[in-house]
Amino acid sequence: MCGIAGILLAPDAADTNALRAIGPMAMALRHRGPDAEALWMSREAGIAFGHRRLAIVDLSEAGRQPMHSASGRYVITFNGEIYNFRDLRRELEGAGHHFRGTSDTEVMLCAIESWGLDAALQRFAGMFAFGLWDLKSRILHLARDRMGKKPLYVASTREALVFASELKAITCFPGFNPELDVDAAATMISKGWVPDDLCIWQGVFKLPPGSVLSVTAADFASARGAGSLAHRVRRWWSLADVASKAQRDPIFGSDEDLTTELDRLLRLAVNERMIADVPLGAFLSGGIDSSTVVALMQAQSQKPVRTFTIAFGESGFDEAPHAAAVARHLGTDHTELHLSPAAALEVIPELPRIWDEPFADESQIPTLLVSRLARQHVTVALSGDGGDECFAGYSRHFLATRLRRQHELPSSFRRMLAAGAGLLAQASQKDIFGSLPLSANMRHGLRGDRLNRLAHLFAAANEDQLLQRLTESSTNSLLHHKPPASNASAAELNDLLSRLLFDDMTGYLPGDILVKLDRATMANSLEGRCPILDHRVVEFAWRLPTSAKVRNGKGKWILRQLLDRYVPRPLVDRPKQGFDVPVGAWLKGPLRNWATDIIATIRLSGDGVIDCAKVDACWRDHLRGNQDHFRDLWPLLMFQAWRNEAMRPSAPATRPSYDIELTGD
């Protein structure tokens, strides 16, 4: 796992010294790779690569990047892991190839030389983003993994194409002038995150998951704009194709047989992700997904697996006791950090710098903190991310199977259901349930924001509107500038749940979940691995019948059946909580002054994105306790905090010495 950056100059670039910007660009990514830095450039070809290394496999100099292929034809700067590299290496050695070291990067280069880029990509099982320079054809290839686990930003300036793992490296290039993209800003405030098909800065795009951009300097000269470059991108793997094919060719079998096949696939994915030359552990929340991953790790480990969790004191938000119970049953070496609200609040000023696109999934706070905890003991941590998207684990997934039937009811009855949920939401805001003997989980489910959302869903006029409402994050707009409509699904899917899962996998997963994990782990120089998102598991999940995902009013049915083989059901059978934190209460308490100051700066922005009058009214209503507006306020506050940070001049970083290789190919 590393940080990568690169520059390709246009043929008419005025000054090849612009390639020297690769140094500051790589330095901006030092948190992603604290172990080493190396640069490579060819002035004649107008190309430069930078690499910051977090050494995971082959800690020797033989694993150093940017790396040349054996023939010298290719140079690569690579971020990620190819988990099946040992199998590929054995195959390549059988064909007569020899290797200098033991890294997956060297295997990648050999595979590309032997089979060609597209064929090699199809064989890679892993997470990756890379820049590959072909010295023979002078083509720059940029590629990203199937699910979008690793980020890759591409920018176009007057004189250069620039790419990097994070925007903070892009902004180090002297020809790049950041200008706010108001569509991306409005979408972020609406959703809480910037979708993968948008970027907060104009002139920048994210290489889509499962795609390649191949470009020469002359190609760039004829299509300098980011939009023109984006149109040159081609897919080497498509989730739409996977989903459509799966519905034409579903998998059949008994419940036992399907569960056994999932066990086999996940065991393989977990086993491959346990390959590392550094200490390794896992995040454990005690939920279905992380417990399954840890159970399969422990089943294949000769010693106790290191597991980590964060403990919150707030009732209804703390999953630590459940994680501890699972850890005891499995026999892991478990570490639990008890976190006070004050300690959690201390990290909030860091968030805009770490997520250098604005980001407002409040679970970023515990994810960042558990990553910080884990890094004190290990360099790699496996996570359960992807279970909800693959096997229908969100409340909206099993709600979809229920609510789709509401359109068979009279519209008057649907309006009555919506009104009833709205009344319950008002009762929750007035704390009418406070004196009732309810469990913590019941109180969590009766939160006003959840009930208001349910009322909004009941009021949907048709299935398309229900799908839209199930996937949106906010129902109360504080915006002058409306976000653009979402792109229509590219897959031909014939049921609401499949459409919802596809939307999650192409939107919420790469735009929120994987961004959260990547930035939180990389900010702490920790590698996060997601075995449930192995492409073989994903493709199997799409072929499963709906009943293997949602059954008896619960999601992730088959994953629960698998976990039953390792962990007693009572230890994990509870309502889903996720990594929730009590942001609504914090905004009325310890975060009140911070939020008030942030809101004051909104009035000075003057870009017409945010409706200041609505914000003021919403903030007053929240403080008075009339309604919990944190779902609307938190994205707004995080956007403005990011903007305040982005507009602040930064001091130049002090550079250590580094190696740079100059060539004249």
Side-chain angles (χ1 to χ4, degrees):
M1 187 74 72
C2 307
I4 64 173
I7 303 166
L8 176 64
L9 294 181
D12 59 353
D15 186 3
T16 59
N17 283 327
L19 293 176
R20 285 285 178 180
I22 197 64
M25 290 174 67
M27 186 62 177
L29 302 172
R30 58 193 178 278
H31 54 286
R32 299 185 71 95
D35 296 331
E37 178 184 275
L39 311 174
W40 169 86
M41 72 170 64
S42 168
R43 288 190 181 277
E44 183 201 0
I47 183 81
F49 283 172
H51 190 267
R52 291 290 316 198
R53 187 182 185 196
L54 177 62
I56 302 294
V57 176
D58 191 349
L59 311 186
S60 73
E61 279 294 299
R64 177 188 175 193
Q65 296 185 52
M67 184 182 290
H68 294 258
S69 64
S71 71
R73 176 176 175 177
Y74 294 103
V75 183
I76 195 170
T77 182
F78 160 56
N79 170 32
E81 300 287 347
I82 304 301
Y83 299 119
N84 63 336
F85 78 99
R86 289 180 173 176
D87 292 337
L88 298 178
R89 177 178 175 133
R90 282 190 287 270
E91 182 177 342
L92 291 163
E93 285 176 331
H97 295 280
H98 301 280
F99 294 89
R100 304 182 300 274
T102 60
S103 74
D104 55 340
T105 311
E106 189 178 359
V107 173
M108 288 178 70
L109 284 168
C110 186
I112 291 168
E113 281 203 320
S114 300
W115 306 326
L117 176 60
D118 283 17
L121 286 168
Q122 296 291 341
R123 301 287 302 277
F124 295 157
M127 57 178 182
F128 52 85
F130 62 80
L132 179 77
W133 178 246
D134 185 337
L135 280 77
K136 180 179 179 181
S137 63
R138 297 202 174 189
I139 296 175
L140 172 65
H141 303 283
L142 303 178
R144 194 174 178 203
D145 66 65
R146 295 170 178 86
M147 302 307 297
K149 297 175 194 173
K150 291 292 97 186
L152 192 60
Y153 291 88
V154 183
S156 174
T157 73
R158 172 65 184 82
E159 296 200 335
L161 178 156
V162 185
F163 68 89
S165 299
E166 296 181 21
L167 281 177
K168 54 177 63 73
I170 299 283
T171 57
C172 289
F173 187 73
F176 179 73
N177 297 310
E179 294 184 24
L180 186 73
D181 185 302
V182 293
D183 283 345
T187 304
M188 181 272 157
I189 296 170
S190 176
K191 289 179 174 288
W193 40 275
V194 179
D196 215 52
D197 59 351
L198 294 172
C199 182
I200 200 64
W201 295 130
Q202 294 181 33
V204 185
F205 67 96
K206 300 159 193 170
L207 194 69
S211 71
V212 173
L213 170 62
S214 300
V215 61
T216 66
D219 293 333
F220 171 69
S222 64
R224 294 179 198 262
S228 298
L229 287 173
H231 281 113
R232 298 181 65 91
V233 171
R234 56 187 173 83
R235 296 276 183 173
W236 63 268
W237 185 88
S238 166
L239 185 66
D241 291 344
V242 168
S244 298
K245 181 180 178 181
Q247 291 210 330
R248 295 191 302 269
D249 182 27
I251 190 169
F252 297 102
S254 68
D255 289 344
E256 184 70 15
D257 288 345
L258 293 177
T259 304
T260 296
E261 178 61 9
L262 177 59
D263 193 340
R264 183 190 71 81
L265 288 171
L266 267 179
R267 271 180 171 261
L268 172 62
V270 167
N271 181 268
E272 289 180 343
R273 284 157 181 78
M274 293 175 69
I275 297 172
D277 296 331
V278 293
L280 175 143
F283 300 143
L284 178 61
S285 70
I288 302 294
D289 307 334
S290 65
S291 297
T292 300
V293 169
V294 171
L296 293 173
M297 291 176 72
Q298 194 59 70
Q300 301 178 86
S301 176
Q302 299 296 318
K303 59 183 181 180
V305 171
R306 294 298 307 264
T307 53
F308 306 92
T309 195
I310 292 288
F312 285 95
E314 284 84 356
S315 176
F317 293 89
D318 190 7
E319 289 193 303
H322 307 293
V326 173
R328 283 193 299 270
H329 176 78
L330 294 173
T332 72
D333 181 359
H334 191 58
T335 301
E336 181 179 291
L337 176 64
H338 290 264
L339 196 68
S340 68
L345 296 172
E346 284 179 1
V347 308
I348 289 178
E350 301 180 47
L351 302 181
R353 175 181 53 80
I354 293 170
W355 280 266
D356 57 358
E357 269 192 298
F359 189 78
D361 181 337
E362 67 275 12
S363 64
Q364 68 194 114
I365 299 170
T367 305
L368 178 66
L369 292 171
V370 77
S371 298
R372 190 169 293 176
L373 169 66
R375 187 61 176 94
Q376 297 173 24
H377 306 275
V378 300
T379 312
V380 176
L382 274 65
S383 85
D385 288 298
D388 293 310
E389 291 79 13
C390 285
F391 299 103
Y394 295 125
S395 59
R396 58 180 172 267
H397 296 147
F398 29 98
L399 272 174
T401 63
R402 296 176 179 177
L403 293 175
R404 64 183 175 83
R405 300 189 185 96
Q406 72 172 305
H407 301 296
E408 301 171 5
L409 301 173
S411 59
S412 58
F413 187 74
R414 297 202 305 270
R415 288 194 296 270
M416 184 176 67
L417 289 174
L423 288 172
L424 284 174
Q426 292 178 28
S428 176
Q429 295 296 335
K430 295 176 181 177
D431 203 26
I432 290 177
F433 303 126
S435 59
L436 299 179
L438 303 175
S439 68
N441 285 329
M442 181 68 75
R443 293 185 188 281
H444 195 59
L446 288 173
R447 280 170 29 188
D449 62 298
R450 290 174 179 263
L451 291 167
N452 276 320
R453 177 170 170 76
L454 188 59
H456 191 56
L457 295 175
F458 281 141
N462 52 52
E463 187 172 293
D464 286 343
Q465 191 175 80
L466 177 59
L467 177 67
Q468 178 186 355
R469 293 186 178 190
L470 282 165
T471 56
E472 66 188 2
S473 303
S474 174
T475 59
N476 177 21
S477 175
L478 303 176
L479 300 169
H480 273 309
H481 183 87
K482 301 301 180 184
S486 300
N487 292 332
S489 170
E492 297 178 3
L493 303 175
N494 54 23
D495 65 276
L496 180 60
L497 180 60
S498 294
R499 293 172 67 196
L500 193 56
L501 288 171
F502 183 83
D503 187 89
D504 281 337
M505 278 196 175
T506 56
Y508 184 60
L509 181 67
D512 183 314
I513 298 299
L514 295 177
V515 169
K516 176 178 62 180
L517 181 68
D518 177 81
R519 304 305 191 277
T521 53
M522 287 282 84
N524 293 287
S525 304
L526 177 75
E527 175 167 298
R529 297 179 174 180
C530 310
I532 298 177
L533 287 175
D534 183 282
H535 74 279
R536 294 159 292 194
V537 176
V538 170
E539 291 170 359
F540 171 78
W542 272 102
R543 295 185 66 201
L544 288 171
T546 297
S547 61
K549 299 173 186 175
V550 178
R551 190 181 298 189
N552 301 325
K554 291 183 177 180
K556 294 191 286 198
W557 182 86
I558 192 171
L559 210 54
R560 294 172 190 270
Q561 298 302 113
L562 170 57
L563 186 56
D564 283 347
R565 298 180 175 185
Y566 301 92
V567 176
R569 178 65 67 93
L571 293 186
V572 294
D573 193 15
R574 64 185 189 280
K576 180 178 177 62
Q577 290 177 228
F579 248 179
D580 286 350
V581 290
V583 170
W586 288 355
L587 289 175
K588 290 188 287 186
L591 279 180
R592 178 170 180 162
N593 290 339
W594 171 83
T596 300
D597 291 343
I598 294 290
I599 288 172
T601 65
I602 292 174
R603 303 184 187 95
L604 305 176
S605 302
D607 54 19
V609 175
I610 300 167
D611 189 324
C612 295
K614 285 185 178 180
V615 171
D616 289 339
C618 183
W619 180 231
R620 287 194 300 268
D621 201 46
H622 183 84
L623 293 178
R624 290 168 182 161
N626 296 333
Q627 188 171 338
D628 189 344
H629 289 292
F630 95 91
R631 290 288 178 200
D632 297 302
L633 289 167
W634 187 246
L636 178 88
L637 291 166
M638 291 308 296
F639 168 75
Q640 189 63 30
W642 167 85
R643 180 157 57 176
N644 293 345
E645 176 73 19
M647 295 299 106
R648 183 181 297 120
S650 58
T654 301
R655 287 200 51 77
S657 60
Y658 55 80
D659 296 325
I660 183 167
E661 178 184 349
L662 292 170
T663 69
D665 54 281

